[in-house]
Amino acid sequence: MPFRSILVTGGAGFIGSNFVRMVAREHPKTVITVLDALTYAGNLENIADLVDSGSVRFIKGDIREPAAVRVAMDNAEVVFNFAAETHVDRSIEEAASFIETDIQGTYNLLNFARELKVKRYVQISTDEVYGSSAGKDFDETSPLRPGNPYSASKCGGDLMCLAFANTYRLPLVITRSSNNFGPYQHVEKFIPLFITNAMEGKDLPLYGDGLHERDWIFVEDNCRAILAVAEKGNDGEVYNIAVGKSQPNLRVAELILKHVGKTNSRIVFIEDRKGHDRAYRLAAEKVRVLGWAPRTEFAPAMEETVRWYVDNRGWWERVKSGAFREYYEKQYKDKLAKGKTK
Ligand code: NAD
Ligand code: DAU
């Protein structure tokens, strides 16, 4: 990787931690700083080994606070913004924190990226900004039609990015990927919830008729695409990232049960999510022109993912019970109190 030093916001979350782990493993000379507020979704355990070994400098801080952003961005050549409120169901209950983090937080990052003249700013966005697709693949020029408060907030962040690219010529790129799955994903999300519920002998709650479709991408494939866009993407451009193999939630649930060794009788159909987007379908040729292609097929990646949750039961049990916070606070108490671990 040609980058000397990077700032990864949200690097203690699901995709951010996988990204940090990949960069640390494959590009050990790159200096990595993580800025993360450690919300309910952030888990220092996800990168604790890298923080302990000194491969990652960790700063506990909030992208909504300009002072924290200023400190973290010092010396960063490239900024990757993964930090966001991300769970659709939570945004339906309460959207204020989504607006604050996903829009205001992005604005703070853009301001300092401009002031400090970062070489590149990478905004991690989502296929949800285009809204539900009725049989049509959305490309990067498709209109934004968010279907829930989360995706509306992500649209706000994206639009602010595009405004900064146009107004101030800030060298930035935006990635919009489909649904990720893999290790370290929070158990509130569909795949980890269903794997862990199946392991615990609990019901698997499918929304509506279970025929809503998602185009699942293994998290490592998305992380590689993000790197490719950061390195080779054109300033001011958006890049969709997807595999192009949508499938209904019911089929995914059945596959999970098969891997965990349980019967389909555990699936229960429950009341649908409000405003539930039926499907997301992306045209993603543009990122392939940069040389990226997914390396992983869905079925083996799902098998690997189930194995990870089986092998890391302590991790998800601590997340489910909330004990993970106590776990890392005990380990990092003094350092976190100073707002920094190193
Ligand atoms: P996540 O919820 O697992 O992690 C989010 C991280 O951001 C957490 O570590 C959290 O502590 C941190 N964070 C939240 N608010 C913050 C704030 N104000 N300041 C600093 N840190 C804060 O999310 P994820 O699934 O890893 O998603 C990462 C990014 O990728 C998000 O921008 C999301 O919109 C986008 N995305 C996710 C998916 C997916 O399938 N998970 C798909 C497409 C795009
Ligand atoms: O498409 C990208 C988006 O994918 C990201 O931008 C979001 O941050 C991420 O949370 C995800 O959003 P979804 O709403 O698609 O993911 P979730 O895991 O919440 O749900 C996936 C599908 O499974 C969706 O159709 C709703 C359904 N579902 C989900 C849960 C939690 C259920 O049927 N039952 C459940 O209990």
Side-chain angles (χ1 to χ4, degrees), residues 12-15 36-39 41-42 61-63 82 84 86 101 124-125 150 154 177-178 180:
F14 164 48
I15 308 177
D36 197 299
L38 299 180
T39 67
D62 198 315
I63 64 166
F82 290 87
T86 63
T101 289
I124 313 304
S125 187
Y150 159 69
K154 293 296 289 186
S177 95
S178 60
N180 286 225

mmCIF file with all atom_site columns, all heavy atoms in Angstrom, residues 12-15 36-39 41-42 61-63 82 84 86 101 124-125 150 154 177-178 180, ligand 1:
data_model
loop_
_atom_site.group_PDB
_atom_site.id
_atom_site.type_symbol
_atom_site.label_atom_id
_atom_site.label_alt_id
_atom_site.label_comp_id
_atom_site.label_asym_id
_atom_site.label_entity_id
_atom_site.label_seq_id
_atom_site.pdbx_PDB_ins_code
_atom_site.Cartn_x
_atom_site.Cartn_y
_atom_site.Cartn_z
_atom_site.occupancy
_atom_site.B_iso_or_equiv
_atom_site.pdbx_formal_charge
_atom_site.auth_seq_id
_atom_site.auth_comp_id
_atom_site.auth_asym_id
_atom_site.auth_atom_id
_atom_site.pdbx_PDB_model_num
ATOM   1   N N   . ALA A 1 12  ? -13.014 0.077  15.747 1.00 0.00 ? 12  ALA A N   1
ATOM   2   C CA  . ALA A 1 12  ? -13.309 -0.984 16.722 1.00 0.00 ? 12  ALA A CA  1
ATOM   3   C C   . ALA A 1 12  ? -14.644 -1.659 16.417 1.00 0.00 ? 12  ALA A C   1
ATOM   4   O O   . ALA A 1 12  ? -15.094 -2.525 17.171 1.00 0.00 ? 12  ALA A O   1
ATOM   5   C CB  . ALA A 1 12  ? -13.320 -0.411 18.143 1.00 0.00 ? 12  ALA A CB  1
ATOM   6   N N   . GLY A 1 13  ? -15.289 -1.248 15.323 1.00 0.00 ? 13  GLY A N   1
ATOM   7   C CA  . GLY A 1 13  ? -16.550 -1.882 14.924 1.00 0.00 ? 13  GLY A CA  1
ATOM   8   C C   . GLY A 1 13  ? -16.290 -3.065 14.000 1.00 0.00 ? 13  GLY A C   1
ATOM   9   O O   . GLY A 1 13  ? -15.156 -3.540 13.868 1.00 0.00 ? 13  GLY A O   1
ATOM   10  N N   . PHE A 1 14  ? -17.337 -3.515 13.353 1.00 0.00 ? 14  PHE A N   1
ATOM   11  C CA  . PHE A 1 14  ? -17.251 -4.743 12.539 1.00 0.00 ? 14  PHE A CA  1
ATOM   12  C C   . PHE A 1 14  ? -16.337 -4.578 11.319 1.00 0.00 ? 14  PHE A C   1
ATOM   13  O O   . PHE A 1 14  ? -15.241 -5.163 11.256 1.00 0.00 ? 14  PHE A O   1
ATOM   14  C CB  . PHE A 1 14  ? -18.675 -5.140 12.140 1.00 0.00 ? 14  PHE A CB  1
ATOM   15  C CG  . PHE A 1 14  ? -18.770 -6.123 11.012 1.00 0.00 ? 14  PHE A CG  1
ATOM   16  C CD1 . PHE A 1 14  ? -17.994 -7.286 10.999 1.00 0.00 ? 14  PHE A CD1 1
ATOM   17  C CD2 . PHE A 1 14  ? -19.662 -5.906 9.963  1.00 0.00 ? 14  PHE A CD2 1
ATOM   18  C CE1 . PHE A 1 14  ? -18.103 -8.199 9.945  1.00 0.00 ? 14  PHE A CE1 1
ATOM   19  C CE2 . PHE A 1 14  ? -19.778 -6.811 8.917  1.00 0.00 ? 14  PHE A CE2 1
ATOM   20  C CZ  . PHE A 1 14  ? -18.991 -7.955 8.907  1.00 0.00 ? 14  PHE A CZ  1
ATOM   21  N N   . ILE A 1 15  ? -16.733 -3.756 10.360 1.00 0.00 ? 15  ILE A N   1
ATOM   22  C CA  . ILE A 1 15  ? -15.932 -3.671 9.126  1.00 0.00 ? 15  ILE A CA  1
ATOM   23  C C   . ILE A 1 15  ? -14.615 -2.957 9.415  1.00 0.00 ? 15  ILE A C   1
ATOM   24  O O   . ILE A 1 15  ? -13.555 -3.351 8.919  1.00 0.00 ? 15  ILE A O   1
ATOM   25  C CB  . ILE A 1 15  ? -16.702 -2.952 7.996  1.00 0.00 ? 15  ILE A CB  1
ATOM   26  C CG1 . ILE A 1 15  ? -18.086 -3.583 7.784  1.00 0.00 ? 15  ILE A CG1 1
ATOM   27  C CG2 . ILE A 1 15  ? -15.911 -3.019 6.685  1.00 0.00 ? 15  ILE A CG2 1
ATOM   28  C CD1 . ILE A 1 15  ? -18.949 -2.894 6.736  1.00 0.00 ? 15  ILE A CD1 1
ATOM   29  N N   . ASP A 1 36  ? -12.215 5.872  17.802 1.00 0.00 ? 36  ASP A N   1
ATOM   30  C CA  . ASP A 1 36  ? -13.517 5.218  17.966 1.00 0.00 ? 36  ASP A CA  1
ATOM   31  C C   . ASP A 1 36  ? -14.104 5.653  19.309 1.00 0.00 ? 36  ASP A C   1
ATOM   32  O O   . ASP A 1 36  ? -13.410 5.669  20.319 1.00 0.00 ? 36  ASP A O   1
ATOM   33  C CB  . ASP A 1 36  ? -13.347 3.692  17.909 1.00 0.00 ? 36  ASP A CB  1
ATOM   34  C CG  . ASP A 1 36  ? -14.658 2.968  17.658 1.00 0.00 ? 36  ASP A CG  1
ATOM   35  O OD1 . ASP A 1 36  ? -15.582 3.106  18.495 1.00 0.00 ? 36  ASP A OD1 1
ATOM   36  O OD2 . ASP A 1 36  ? -14.781 2.274  16.630 1.00 0.00 ? 36  ASP A OD2 1
ATOM   37  N N   . ALA A 1 37  ? -15.395 5.960  19.298 1.00 0.00 ? 37  ALA A N   1
ATOM   38  C CA  . ALA A 1 37  ? -16.057 6.412  20.526 1.00 0.00 ? 37  ALA A CA  1
ATOM   39  C C   . ALA A 1 37  ? -16.422 5.241  21.433 1.00 0.00 ? 37  ALA A C   1
ATOM   40  O O   . ALA A 1 37  ? -16.863 5.455  22.562 1.00 0.00 ? 37  ALA A O   1
ATOM   41  C CB  . ALA A 1 37  ? -17.311 7.196  20.164 1.00 0.00 ? 37  ALA A CB  1
ATOM   42  N N   . LEU A 1 38  ? -16.253 4.003  20.934 1.00 0.00 ? 38  LEU A N   1
ATOM   43  C CA  . LEU A 1 38  ? -16.672 2.811  21.679 1.00 0.00 ? 38  LEU A CA  1
ATOM   44  C C   . LEU A 1 38  ? -18.120 2.953  22.148 1.00 0.00 ? 38  LEU A C   1
ATOM   45  O O   . LEU A 1 38  ? -18.420 2.927  23.344 1.00 0.00 ? 38  LEU A O   1
ATOM   46  C CB  . LEU A 1 38  ? -15.720 2.521  22.849 1.00 0.00 ? 38  LEU A CB  1
ATOM   47  C CG  . LEU A 1 38  ? -14.270 2.232  22.445 1.00 0.00 ? 38  LEU A CG  1
ATOM   48  C CD1 . LEU A 1 38  ? -13.399 1.955  23.673 1.00 0.00 ? 38  LEU A CD1 1
ATOM   49  C CD2 . LEU A 1 38  ? -14.159 1.050  21.481 1.00 0.00 ? 38  LEU A CD2 1
ATOM   50  N N   . THR A 1 39  ? -19.007 3.143  21.190 1.00 0.00 ? 39  THR A N   1
ATOM   51  C CA  . THR A 1 39  ? -20.441 3.108  21.479 1.00 0.00 ? 39  THR A CA  1
ATOM   52  C C   . THR A 1 39  ? -20.802 1.663  21.795 1.00 0.00 ? 39  THR A C   1
ATOM   53  O O   . THR A 1 39  ? -19.931 0.787  21.807 1.00 0.00 ? 39  THR A O   1
ATOM   54  C CB  . THR A 1 39  ? -21.252 3.553  20.247 1.00 0.00 ? 39  THR A CB  1
ATOM   55  O OG1 . THR A 1 39  ? -21.093 2.563  19.218 1.00 0.00 ? 39  THR A OG1 1
ATOM   56  C CG2 . THR A 1 39  ? -20.801 4.916  19.732 1.00 0.00 ? 39  THR A CG2 1
ATOM   57  N N   . ALA A 1 41  ? -21.716 -0.414 19.911 1.00 0.00 ? 41  ALA A N   1
ATOM   58  C CA  . ALA A 1 41  ? -21.300 -1.257 18.774 1.00 0.00 ? 41  ALA A CA  1
ATOM   59  C C   . ALA A 1 41  ? -19.787 -1.392 18.675 1.00 0.00 ? 41  ALA A C   1
ATOM   60  O O   . ALA A 1 41  ? -19.292 -2.253 17.943 1.00 0.00 ? 41  ALA A O   1
ATOM   61  C CB  . ALA A 1 41  ? -21.838 -0.675 17.467 1.00 0.00 ? 41  ALA A CB  1
ATOM   62  N N   . GLY A 1 42  ? -19.060 -0.550 19.376 1.00 0.00 ? 42  GLY A N   1
ATOM   63  C CA  . GLY A 1 42  ? -17.600 -0.581 19.295 1.00 0.00 ? 42  GLY A CA  1
ATOM   64  C C   . GLY A 1 42  ? -17.037 -1.493 20.367 1.00 0.00 ? 42  GLY A C   1
ATOM   65  O O   . GLY A 1 42  ? -17.462 -1.437 21.522 1.00 0.00 ? 42  GLY A O   1
ATOM   66  N N   . GLY A 1 61  ? -12.413 8.397  21.132 1.00 0.00 ? 61  GLY A N   1
ATOM   67  C CA  . GLY A 1 61  ? -12.902 9.748  20.871 1.00 0.00 ? 61  GLY A CA  1
ATOM   68  C C   . GLY A 1 61  ? -14.043 9.714  19.877 1.00 0.00 ? 61  GLY A C   1
ATOM   69  O O   . GLY A 1 61  ? -14.248 8.730  19.165 1.00 0.00 ? 61  GLY A O   1
ATOM   70  N N   . ASP A 1 62  ? -14.743 10.845 19.822 1.00 0.00 ? 62  ASP A N   1
ATOM   71  C CA  . ASP A 1 62  ? -16.014 10.922 19.104 1.00 0.00 ? 62  ASP A CA  1
ATOM   72  C C   . ASP A 1 62  ? -15.878 11.825 17.882 1.00 0.00 ? 62  ASP A C   1
ATOM   73  O O   . ASP A 1 62  ? -15.381 12.952 17.999 1.00 0.00 ? 62  ASP A O   1
ATOM   74  C CB  . ASP A 1 62  ? -17.041 11.517 20.091 1.00 0.00 ? 62  ASP A CB  1
ATOM   75  C CG  . ASP A 1 62  ? -18.461 11.255 19.666 1.00 0.00 ? 62  ASP A CG  1
ATOM   76  O OD1 . ASP A 1 62  ? -18.768 11.440 18.473 1.00 0.00 ? 62  ASP A OD1 1
ATOM   77  O OD2 . ASP A 1 62  ? -19.258 10.858 20.531 1.00 0.00 ? 62  ASP A OD2 1
ATOM   78  N N   . ILE A 1 63  ? -16.322 11.346 16.732 1.00 0.00 ? 63  ILE A N   1
ATOM   79  C CA  . ILE A 1 63  ? -16.205 12.193 15.527 1.00 0.00 ? 63  ILE A CA  1
ATOM   80  C C   . ILE A 1 63  ? -17.157 13.393 15.586 1.00 0.00 ? 63  ILE A C   1
ATOM   81  O O   . ILE A 1 63  ? -17.044 14.297 14.786 1.00 0.00 ? 63  ILE A O   1
ATOM   82  C CB  . ILE A 1 63  ? -16.403 11.406 14.203 1.00 0.00 ? 63  ILE A CB  1
ATOM   83  C CG1 . ILE A 1 63  ? -17.810 10.821 14.085 1.00 0.00 ? 63  ILE A CG1 1
ATOM   84  C CG2 . ILE A 1 63  ? -15.351 10.316 14.059 1.00 0.00 ? 63  ILE A CG2 1
ATOM   85  C CD1 . ILE A 1 63  ? -18.148 10.338 12.671 1.00 0.00 ? 63  ILE A CD1 1
ATOM   86  N N   . PHE A 1 82  ? -15.172 4.936  8.799  1.00 0.00 ? 82  PHE A N   1
ATOM   87  C CA  . PHE A 1 82  ? -16.116 3.835  9.024  1.00 0.00 ? 82  PHE A CA  1
ATOM   88  C C   . PHE A 1 82  ? -17.089 4.181  10.155 1.00 0.00 ? 82  PHE A C   1
ATOM   89  O O   . PHE A 1 82  ? -18.067 3.458  10.351 1.00 0.00 ? 82  PHE A O   1
ATOM   90  C CB  . PHE A 1 82  ? -15.366 2.560  9.451  1.00 0.00 ? 82  PHE A CB  1
ATOM   91  C CG  . PHE A 1 82  ? -14.538 1.906  8.376  1.00 0.00 ? 82  PHE A CG  1
ATOM   92  C CD1 . PHE A 1 82  ? -13.221 2.299  8.144  1.00 0.00 ? 82  PHE A CD1 1
ATOM   93  C CD2 . PHE A 1 82  ? -15.058 0.873  7.611  1.00 0.00 ? 82  PHE A CD2 1
ATOM   94  C CE1 . PHE A 1 82  ? -12.451 1.674  7.173  1.00 0.00 ? 82  PHE A CE1 1
ATOM   95  C CE2 . PHE A 1 82  ? -14.294 0.242  6.630  1.00 0.00 ? 82  PHE A CE2 1
ATOM   96  C CZ  . PHE A 1 82  ? -12.989 0.652  6.410  1.00 0.00 ? 82  PHE A CZ  1
ATOM   97  N N   . ALA A 1 84  ? -19.977 5.233  12.314 1.00 0.00 ? 84  ALA A N   1
ATOM   98  C CA  . ALA A 1 84  ? -21.373 5.565  12.020 1.00 0.00 ? 84  ALA A CA  1
ATOM   99  C C   . ALA A 1 84  ? -22.275 4.834  12.996 1.00 0.00 ? 84  ALA A C   1
ATOM   100 O O   . ALA A 1 84  ? -21.884 3.836  13.604 1.00 0.00 ? 84  ALA A O   1
ATOM   101 C CB  . ALA A 1 84  ? -21.734 5.148  10.587 1.00 0.00 ? 84  ALA A CB  1
ATOM   102 N N   . THR A 1 86  ? -25.242 2.435  12.722 1.00 0.00 ? 86  THR A N   1
ATOM   103 C CA  . THR A 1 86  ? -25.413 1.573  11.543 1.00 0.00 ? 86  THR A CA  1
ATOM   104 C C   . THR A 1 86  ? -26.657 0.688  11.543 1.00 0.00 ? 86  THR A C   1
ATOM   105 O O   . THR A 1 86  ? -26.937 0.052  10.530 1.00 0.00 ? 86  THR A O   1
ATOM   106 C CB  . THR A 1 86  ? -24.195 0.632  11.405 1.00 0.00 ? 86  THR A CB  1
ATOM   107 O OG1 . THR A 1 86  ? -24.138 -0.220 12.557 1.00 0.00 ? 86  THR A OG1 1
ATOM   108 C CG2 . THR A 1 86  ? -22.902 1.397  11.242 1.00 0.00 ? 86  THR A CG2 1
ATOM   109 N N   . THR A 1 101 ? -24.010 11.629 14.256 1.00 0.00 ? 101 THR A N   1
ATOM   110 C CA  . THR A 1 101 ? -22.755 10.949 13.882 1.00 0.00 ? 101 THR A CA  1
ATOM   111 C C   . THR A 1 101 ? -22.585 10.869 12.372 1.00 0.00 ? 101 THR A C   1
ATOM   112 O O   . THR A 1 101 ? -21.527 11.203 11.830 1.00 0.00 ? 101 THR A O   1
ATOM   113 C CB  . THR A 1 101 ? -22.705 9.533  14.506 1.00 0.00 ? 101 THR A CB  1
ATOM   114 O OG1 . THR A 1 101 ? -22.518 9.672  15.915 1.00 0.00 ? 101 THR A OG1 1
ATOM   115 C CG2 . THR A 1 101 ? -21.559 8.711  13.943 1.00 0.00 ? 101 THR A CG2 1
ATOM   116 N N   . ILE A 1 124 ? -17.024 5.688  3.913  1.00 0.00 ? 124 ILE A N   1
ATOM   117 C CA  . ILE A 1 124 ? -17.597 4.347  3.759  1.00 0.00 ? 124 ILE A CA  1
ATOM   118 C C   . ILE A 1 124 ? -19.118 4.484  3.829  1.00 0.00 ? 124 ILE A C   1
ATOM   119 O O   . ILE A 1 124 ? -19.689 4.758  4.882  1.00 0.00 ? 124 ILE A O   1
ATOM   120 C CB  . ILE A 1 124 ? -17.103 3.389  4.873  1.00 0.00 ? 124 ILE A CB  1
ATOM   121 C CG1 . ILE A 1 124 ? -15.579 3.478  5.053  1.00 0.00 ? 124 ILE A CG1 1
ATOM   122 C CG2 . ILE A 1 124 ? -17.556 1.965  4.564  1.00 0.00 ? 124 ILE A CG2 1
ATOM   123 C CD1 . ILE A 1 124 ? -14.753 3.215  3.821  1.00 0.00 ? 124 ILE A CD1 1
ATOM   124 N N   . SER A 1 125 ? -19.766 4.301  2.693  1.00 0.00 ? 125 SER A N   1
ATOM   125 C CA  . SER A 1 125 ? -21.217 4.437  2.673  1.00 0.00 ? 125 SER A CA  1
ATOM   126 C C   . SER A 1 125 ? -21.869 3.107  2.305  1.00 0.00 ? 125 SER A C   1
ATOM   127 O O   . SER A 1 125 ? -21.244 2.051  2.415  1.00 0.00 ? 125 SER A O   1
ATOM   128 C CB  . SER A 1 125 ? -21.611 5.564  1.717  1.00 0.00 ? 125 SER A CB  1
ATOM   129 O OG  . SER A 1 125 ? -22.995 5.810  1.818  1.00 0.00 ? 125 SER A OG  1
ATOM   130 N N   . TYR A 1 150 ? -31.784 5.601  9.048  1.00 0.00 ? 150 TYR A N   1
ATOM   131 C CA  . TYR A 1 150 ? -30.351 5.302  8.918  1.00 0.00 ? 150 TYR A CA  1
ATOM   132 C C   . TYR A 1 150 ? -29.851 5.696  7.535  1.00 0.00 ? 150 TYR A C   1
ATOM   133 O O   . TYR A 1 150 ? -28.867 6.431  7.400  1.00 0.00 ? 150 TYR A O   1
ATOM   134 C CB  . TYR A 1 150 ? -30.088 3.805  9.186  1.00 0.00 ? 150 TYR A CB  1
ATOM   135 C CG  . TYR A 1 150 ? -28.786 3.305  8.595  1.00 0.00 ? 150 TYR A CG  1
ATOM   136 C CD1 . TYR A 1 150 ? -27.557 3.716  9.100  1.00 0.00 ? 150 TYR A CD1 1
ATOM   137 C CD2 . TYR A 1 150 ? -28.786 2.420  7.507  1.00 0.00 ? 150 TYR A CD2 1
ATOM   138 C CE1 . TYR A 1 150 ? -26.358 3.272  8.531  1.00 0.00 ? 150 TYR A CE1 1
ATOM   139 C CE2 . TYR A 1 150 ? -27.602 1.966  6.936  1.00 0.00 ? 150 TYR A CE2 1
ATOM   140 C CZ  . TYR A 1 150 ? -26.390 2.399  7.456  1.00 0.00 ? 150 TYR A CZ  1
ATOM   141 O OH  . TYR A 1 150 ? -25.214 1.964  6.892  1.00 0.00 ? 150 TYR A OH  1
ATOM   142 N N   . LYS A 1 154 ? -27.083 8.466  6.200  1.00 0.00 ? 154 LYS A N   1
ATOM   143 C CA  . LYS A 1 154 ? -25.916 8.164  5.359  1.00 0.00 ? 154 LYS A CA  1
ATOM   144 C C   . LYS A 1 154 ? -25.936 9.017  4.089  1.00 0.00 ? 154 LYS A C   1
ATOM   145 O O   . LYS A 1 154 ? -24.885 9.464  3.617  1.00 0.00 ? 154 LYS A O   1
ATOM   146 C CB  . LYS A 1 154 ? -25.876 6.672  5.000  1.00 0.00 ? 154 LYS A CB  1
ATOM   147 C CG  . LYS A 1 154 ? -25.611 5.739  6.170  1.00 0.00 ? 154 LYS A CG  1
ATOM   148 C CD  . LYS A 1 154 ? -24.242 5.922  6.817  1.00 0.00 ? 154 LYS A CD  1
ATOM   149 C CE  . LYS A 1 154 ? -23.103 5.437  5.962  1.00 0.00 ? 154 LYS A CE  1
ATOM   150 N NZ  . LYS A 1 154 ? -21.802 5.515  6.694  1.00 0.00 ? 154 LYS A NZ  1
ATOM   151 N N   . SER A 1 177 ? -21.262 -0.104 -0.335 1.00 0.00 ? 177 SER A N   1
ATOM   152 C CA  . SER A 1 177 ? -21.261 -1.569 -0.473 1.00 0.00 ? 177 SER A CA  1
ATOM   153 C C   . SER A 1 177 ? -22.586 -2.176 -0.046 1.00 0.00 ? 177 SER A C   1
ATOM   154 O O   . SER A 1 177 ? -23.393 -1.557 0.641  1.00 0.00 ? 177 SER A O   1
ATOM   155 C CB  . SER A 1 177 ? -20.105 -2.177 0.320  1.00 0.00 ? 177 SER A CB  1
ATOM   156 O OG  . SER A 1 177 ? -20.556 -2.578 1.588  1.00 0.00 ? 177 SER A OG  1
ATOM   157 N N   . SER A 1 178 ? -22.766 -3.403 -0.463 1.00 0.00 ? 178 SER A N   1
ATOM   158 C CA  . SER A 1 178 ? -23.929 -4.186 -0.051 1.00 0.00 ? 178 SER A CA  1
ATOM   159 C C   . SER A 1 178 ? -23.661 -4.772 1.336  1.00 0.00 ? 178 SER A C   1
ATOM   160 O O   . SER A 1 178 ? -22.635 -4.489 1.960  1.00 0.00 ? 178 SER A O   1
ATOM   161 C CB  . SER A 1 178 ? -24.180 -5.287 -1.076 1.00 0.00 ? 178 SER A CB  1
ATOM   162 O OG  . SER A 1 178 ? -23.049 -6.124 -1.137 1.00 0.00 ? 178 SER A OG  1
ATOM   163 N N   . ASN A 1 180 ? -22.466 -6.698 4.417  1.00 0.00 ? 180 ASN A N   1
ATOM   164 C CA  . ASN A 1 180 ? -21.265 -7.457 4.774  1.00 0.00 ? 180 ASN A CA  1
ATOM   165 C C   . ASN A 1 180 ? -21.596 -8.545 5.805  1.00 0.00 ? 180 ASN A C   1
ATOM   166 O O   . ASN A 1 180 ? -22.494 -8.366 6.624  1.00 0.00 ? 180 ASN A O   1
ATOM   167 C CB  . ASN A 1 180 ? -20.235 -6.537 5.436  1.00 0.00 ? 180 ASN A CB  1
ATOM   168 C CG  . ASN A 1 180 ? -19.539 -5.611 4.465  1.00 0.00 ? 180 ASN A CG  1
ATOM   169 O OD1 . ASN A 1 180 ? -18.334 -5.442 4.508  1.00 0.00 ? 180 ASN A OD1 1
ATOM   170 N ND2 . ASN A 1 180 ? -20.282 -4.981 3.567  1.00 0.00 ? 180 ASN A ND2 1
HETATM 171 P P1  . NAD B 2 .   ? -20.561 -1.058 13.398 1.00 0.00 ? 1   NAD B P1  1
HETATM 172 O O1  . NAD B 2 .   ? -21.829 -0.565 13.984 1.00 0.00 ? 1   NAD B O1  1
HETATM 173 O O2  . NAD B 2 .   ? -20.148 -2.466 13.638 1.00 0.00 ? 1   NAD B O2  1
HETATM 174 O O3  . NAD B 2 .   ? -19.343 -0.149 13.898 1.00 0.00 ? 1   NAD B O3  1
HETATM 175 C C1  . NAD B 2 .   ? -19.418 1.244  13.950 1.00 0.00 ? 1   NAD B C1  1
HETATM 176 C C2  . NAD B 2 .   ? -18.215 1.740  14.753 1.00 0.00 ? 1   NAD B C2  1
HETATM 177 O O4  . NAD B 2 .   ? -18.255 3.166  14.778 1.00 0.00 ? 1   NAD B O4  1
HETATM 178 C C3  . NAD B 2 .   ? -18.208 1.275  16.221 1.00 0.00 ? 1   NAD B C3  1
HETATM 179 O O5  . NAD B 2 .   ? -16.913 0.863  16.581 1.00 0.00 ? 1   NAD B O5  1
HETATM 180 C C4  . NAD B 2 .   ? -18.615 2.517  16.995 1.00 0.00 ? 1   NAD B C4  1
HETATM 181 O O6  . NAD B 2 .   ? -18.089 2.565  18.307 1.00 0.00 ? 1   NAD B O6  1
HETATM 182 C C5  . NAD B 2 .   ? -18.048 3.619  16.112 1.00 0.00 ? 1   NAD B C5  1
HETATM 183 N N1  . NAD B 2 .   ? -18.769 4.893  16.275 1.00 0.00 ? 1   NAD B N1  1
HETATM 184 C C6  . NAD B 2 .   ? -20.109 5.106  16.240 1.00 0.00 ? 1   NAD B C6  1
HETATM 185 N N2  . NAD B 2 .   ? -20.383 6.409  16.450 1.00 0.00 ? 1   NAD B N2  1
HETATM 186 C C7  . NAD B 2 .   ? -19.180 7.025  16.602 1.00 0.00 ? 1   NAD B C7  1
HETATM 187 C C8  . NAD B 2 .   ? -18.793 8.370  16.834 1.00 0.00 ? 1   NAD B C8  1
HETATM 188 N N3  . NAD B 2 .   ? -19.704 9.346  16.972 1.00 0.00 ? 1   NAD B N3  1
HETATM 189 N N4  . NAD B 2 .   ? -17.485 8.662  16.916 1.00 0.00 ? 1   NAD B N4  1
HETATM 190 C C9  . NAD B 2 .   ? -16.542 7.672  16.790 1.00 0.00 ? 1   NAD B C9  1
HETATM 191 N N5  . NAD B 2 .   ? -16.856 6.391  16.601 1.00 0.00 ? 1   NAD B N5  1
HETATM 192 C C10 . NAD B 2 .   ? -18.156 6.063  16.499 1.00 0.00 ? 1   NAD B C10 1
HETATM 193 O O7  . NAD B 2 .   ? -20.638 -0.724 11.855 1.00 0.00 ? 1   NAD B O7  1
HETATM 194 P P2  . NAD B 2 .   ? -20.140 -1.541 10.574 1.00 0.00 ? 1   NAD B P2  1
HETATM 195 O O8  . NAD B 2 .   ? -21.168 -2.527 10.207 1.00 0.00 ? 1   NAD B O8  1
HETATM 196 O O9  . NAD B 2 .   ? -18.748 -1.963 10.798 1.00 0.00 ? 1   NAD B O9  1
HETATM 197 O O10 . NAD B 2 .   ? -20.193 -0.379 9.480  1.00 0.00 ? 1   NAD B O10 1
HETATM 198 C C11 . NAD B 2 .   ? -19.050 0.450  9.244  1.00 0.00 ? 1   NAD B C11 1
HETATM 199 C C12 . NAD B 2 .   ? -19.387 1.432  8.134  1.00 0.00 ? 1   NAD B C12 1
HETATM 200 O O11 . NAD B 2 .   ? -19.742 0.717  6.958  1.00 0.00 ? 1   NAD B O11 1
HETATM 201 C C13 . NAD B 2 .   ? -20.586 2.332  8.442  1.00 0.00 ? 1   NAD B C13 1
HETATM 202 O O12 . NAD B 2 .   ? -20.326 3.610  7.943  1.00 0.00 ? 1   NAD B O12 1
HETATM 203 C C14 . NAD B 2 .   ? -21.757 1.695  7.695  1.00 0.00 ? 1   NAD B C14 1
HETATM 204 O O13 . NAD B 2 .   ? -22.705 2.671  7.325  1.00 0.00 ? 1   NAD B O13 1
HETATM 205 C C15 . NAD B 2 .   ? -21.035 1.134  6.486  1.00 0.00 ? 1   NAD B C15 1
HETATM 206 N N6  . NAD B 2 .   ? -21.649 -0.054 5.865  1.00 0.00 ? 1   NAD B N6  1
HETATM 207 C C16 . NAD B 2 .   ? -21.900 -1.174 6.586  1.00 0.00 ? 1   NAD B C16 1
HETATM 208 C C17 . NAD B 2 .   ? -22.410 -2.320 5.965  1.00 0.00 ? 1   NAD B C17 1
HETATM 209 C C18 . NAD B 2 .   ? -22.696 -3.600 6.708  1.00 0.00 ? 1   NAD B C18 1
HETATM 210 O O14 . NAD B 2 .   ? -23.232 -4.530 6.110  1.00 0.00 ? 1   NAD B O14 1
HETATM 211 N N7  . NAD B 2 .   ? -22.333 -3.726 7.967  1.00 0.00 ? 1   NAD B N7  1
HETATM 212 C C19 . NAD B 2 .   ? -22.662 -2.283 4.586  1.00 0.00 ? 1   NAD B C19 1
HETATM 213 C C20 . NAD B 2 .   ? -22.404 -1.109 3.885  1.00 0.00 ? 1   NAD B C20 1
HETATM 214 C C21 . NAD B 2 .   ? -21.880 -0.014 4.524  1.00 0.00 ? 1   NAD B C21 1
#
